[in-house]
Amino acid sequence: MKTVTTLSDLRAARLSLKGTVGLVPTMGYLHEGHLSLIQRAKEECKHVIVTIFVNPTQFGPNEDLSKYPRDLERDLNLIRPLGVDLVWNPSAEGMYPSGYQTWVEVEAMTRPLEGAMRPGHFKGVTTVVAKLFNATQPDRAYFGQKDAQQAAVIRKMTQDLNFPLEIVVCATVREADGLAMSSRNKYLNEDERKAATVLFRALSAAKELYEAGEMDAEKVRGKMKEVVTSEPLAQMQYVSCADYDTLEELDVVKGKALLSMAVFLGKTRLIDNFALG
């Protein structure tokens, strides 16, 4: 496994990879969810590139960029046994040199949900992912379903900009009690960690309601709100029942839909989602 930091070293190493290349973009502090993406890429591609970069442009002014967990040596030790060919760990200065002024932005799909709560977030995400695609030239790129809106936005960007690659979205990896694995889970204290299962419980209750025949999207959203508000430590930011592809809120659940939510446990903001249909 080769680790590089500069773009020139990445490009030189990339030239030696013949055959299909899978890319797994990460912000580091890896967990089983990330490792499952790497394993999937390894199964489907001859070579695998992992990027580790905490992207500053997707963090808002009051968000946790400075506190975001980082441990490169730990990450490399987790990746090494998986047979990854190349790890790129660029610097912020390398990705956004002095005078940088070019941005990639997907419009309508980034306005609701996470986009409404985190202005500018997706502009940073799509810009950095476009740069990662250009730099690594993969045949497939692997993302987790936990960040469902991000995956949808990246699919749209890839389609609109004619990137010659396939976006592969992999199932959310969960703890035994249903909590979606996230690098931010480490911020939770013991009581908050127990309460954090409320996201999974709320999504499960809404899915059960839908599977019992409820098609009224407002009633489905109401079930999620009811469960979240029953947890004293949880502060709901939003719940959503939206079209899976456009992310527009639904009146009636039909076709493929996305249940999603953002909830604060103390100062820690968690997101989760289920797909319906």
Side-chain angles (χ1 to χ4, degrees):
M1 184 177 82
K2 187 167 187 176
T3 303
V4 296
T5 56
T6 67
L7 182 58
S8 58
D9 285 347
L10 170 73
R11 285 178 169 156
R14 174 66 181 86
L15 288 173
S16 69
L17 304 181
K18 308 299 182 185
T20 56
V21 172
L23 171 68
V24 181
T26 82
M27 292 212 302
Y29 212 76
L30 305 183
H31 51 66
E32 287 297 328
H34 298 108
L35 302 185
S36 73
L37 299 180
I38 296 170
Q39 288 161 341
R40 174 82 176 267
K42 187 69 181 171
E43 290 167 6
E44 297 181 353
C45 304
K46 186 173 181 181
H47 302 288
V48 177
I49 300 173
V50 175
T51 61
I52 298 175
F53 178 60
V54 181
N55 177 37
T57 65
Q58 69 189 68
F59 287 80
N62 299 314
E63 294 183 337
D64 56 355
L65 173 61
S66 63
K67 296 178 182 176
Y68 196 85
R70 296 165 172 85
D71 191 337
L72 180 61
E73 199 54 45
R74 170 187 172 278
D75 291 342
L76 295 176
N77 287 335
L78 287 172
I79 294 170
R80 201 167 279 113
L82 301 181
V84 168
D85 298 85
L86 184 58
V87 176
W88 187 33
N89 175 226
S91 66
E93 295 75 23
M95 292 295 280
Y96 302 105
S98 177
Y100 187 89
Q101 54 183 295
T102 302
W103 302 94
V104 176
E105 193 162 9
V106 176
E107 294 186 336
M109 292 178 66
T110 64
R111 291 177 189 142
L113 308 176
E114 290 298 284
M117 298 298 117
R118 306 178 66 187
H121 168 71
F122 283 115
K123 180 179 173 182
V125 169
T126 44
T127 298
V128 79
V129 171
K131 288 170 71 68
L132 295 175
F133 287 174
N134 278 334
T136 59
Q137 299 288 301
D139 298 282
R140 298 187 181 99
Y142 294 79
F143 296 89
Q145 172 67 23
K146 186 181 83 70
D147 296 296
Q149 185 176 14
Q150 171 178 278
V153 167
I154 289 168
R155 273 200 307 268
K156 183 63 174 164
M157 177 193 76
T158 301
Q159 177 186 350
D160 287 354
L161 295 184
N162 308 119
F163 279 111
L165 68 136
E166 178 188 355
I167 302 299
V168 182
V169 181
C170 303
T172 302
V173 177
R174 300 182 179 278
E175 304 284 359
D177 60 6
L179 179 66
M181 290 190 178
S182 169
S183 301
R184 289 186 167 92
N185 291 349
K186 75 181 290 289
Y187 299 149
L188 300 169
N189 65 32
E190 187 177 348
D191 290 338
E192 290 164 352
R193 172 61 186 82
K194 290 176 184 174
T197 60
V198 73
L199 284 84
F200 180 73
R201 288 187 276 118
L203 290 165
S204 298
K207 184 180 180 185
E208 286 174 16
L209 188 65
Y210 162 77
E211 289 177 343
E214 183 58 73
M215 298 295 166
D216 185 325
E218 191 54 38
K219 289 182 179 177
V220 173
R221 283 187 285 267
K223 175 56 72 173
M224 291 190 282
K225 292 175 185 176
E226 176 189 320
V227 176
V228 174
T229 55
S230 72
E231 171 50 65
L233 294 182
Q235 181 184 346
M236 184 180 72
Q237 193 172 45
Y238 69 79
V239 299
S240 168
C241 179
D243 181 271
Y244 187 83
D245 293 310
T246 67
L247 304 179
E248 293 175 0
E249 291 297 321
L250 296 171
D251 295 320
V252 178
V253 185
K254 55 185 178 181
K256 198 169 183 182
L258 183 72
L259 303 179
S260 63
M261 62 177 59
V263 176
F264 276 95
L265 282 303
K267 294 182 178 179
T268 304
R269 183 178 185 273
L270 300 180
I271 61 172
D272 202 353
N273 66 82
F274 279 5
L276 300 180

